[in-house]
Amino acid sequence: MKKIVIFASGSGTNAENIIKYFAETKNGTVVAVFTNRPDAKVIERAQNHQVPVVVFSKFDLIESKILQKLNAFRPDLIVLAGFLLKFPQDIIEAYPDKIINIHPALLPKYGGKGMYGMNIHRTIVENKEKETGITIHFVNENYDEGNILFQKIIILAGNETAEEVANKIHELEREHFPQVIERLLEKLTF
């Protein structure tokens, strides 16, 4: 069974969805959740499913102290699910093409530093975009610039609020993120 480690910074709805999904399959399991926020709701969500949690500081990430802790779990795939810090080069080099992220917009539009969550949805509404969606991509040394694995587009009516756009995006994430992870696990050879 392939091992998944999730990195998250916030509420953990995507992380919990992935944990639940892989609890029902035989080809993957979430072995740990890493978070940089000791008050993140993802901690409680992971613990409710008996998934170990590793809490670390931004300093730990910058000083390359996380790689050793990560290696202890021997992950086959690292999934960023609402992780807001730039991912460190040492982990990217140690796990090439084995780190993915979900982005709540259609990259390359609305990517980069500071473009996450409601910031994106408000900007999409303000710019009167006709469509939006999700992007699942590999992680590289730059924010939101890794090779794209999957995109799902939704058409906007033009009268949605940022909150309504966010709800539509969350539905897409719940439906597609675990399935894309599963397909990727099936293709990975080690």
Side-chain angles (χ1 to χ4, degrees):
M1 186 174 298
K2 303 249 170 68
K3 298 177 189 172
I4 303 163
V5 169
I6 297 174
F7 278 72
S9 295
S11 69
T13 55
N14 271 327
E16 185 173 40
N17 186 44
I18 294 164
I19 291 167
K20 287 179 178 179
Y21 184 91
F22 285 98
E24 302 295 322
T25 70
K26 294 201 177 346
N27 56 350
T29 186
V30 177
V31 295
V33 170
F34 280 56
T35 184
N36 60 301
R37 292 195 34 224
D39 61 340
K41 179 86 171 147
V42 71
I43 295 169
E44 179 184 333
R45 291 181 193 272
Q47 290 172 338
N48 287 342
H49 297 281
Q50 291 75 48
V51 174
V53 176
V54 176
V55 180
F56 60 91
S57 70
K58 186 175 181 179
F59 177 79
D60 292 338
L61 198 64
I62 293 167
E63 291 296 314
S64 302
K65 295 181 180 185
I66 300 306
L67 182 57
Q68 185 176 0
K69 291 179 183 183
L70 182 61
N71 286 341
F73 290 98
R74 297 176 35 221
D76 297 299
L77 188 66
I78 299 166
V79 175
L80 310 188
F83 185 69
L84 301 181
L85 298 178
K86 188 169 183 187
F87 218 63
Q89 190 64 33
D90 62 329
I91 297 177
I92 293 169
E93 289 172 3
Y95 292 91
D97 297 325
K98 292 187 175 69
I99 307 168
I100 64 170
N101 183 36
I102 190 163
H103 188 75
L106 297 171
L107 292 174
K109 289 177 98 176
Y110 303 108
K113 186 174 178 144
M115 293 306 288
Y116 60 89
M118 290 306 292
N119 294 347
I120 292 172
H121 307 312
R122 278 191 286 276
T123 304
I124 285 170
V125 169
E126 289 166 7
N127 289 345
K128 299 183 183 348
E129 292 288 349
K130 295 185 181 346
E131 63 184 23
T132 189
I134 60 170
T135 303
I136 300 169
H137 63 93
F138 284 111
V139 173
N140 66 14
E141 64 278 0
N142 299 313
Y143 282 113
D144 303 324
E145 292 183 12
N147 290 336
I148 293 173
L149 291 163
F150 176 87
Q151 287 187 310
K152 183 67 176 177
I153 297 169
I154 56 169
I155 304 303
L156 298 175
N159 60 351
E160 292 93 347
T161 66
E163 290 75 18
E164 289 169 331
V165 172
N167 288 336
K168 290 178 180 186
I169 293 300
H170 291 316
E171 287 177 29
L172 290 179
E173 291 172 340
R174 276 192 294 278
E175 179 182 354
H176 295 285
F177 202 13
Q179 293 172 6
V180 171
I181 293 167
E182 185 172 40
R183 287 196 302 270
L184 187 57
L185 287 175
E186 289 168 358
K187 292 179 183 176
L188 292 176
T189 55
F190 302 94

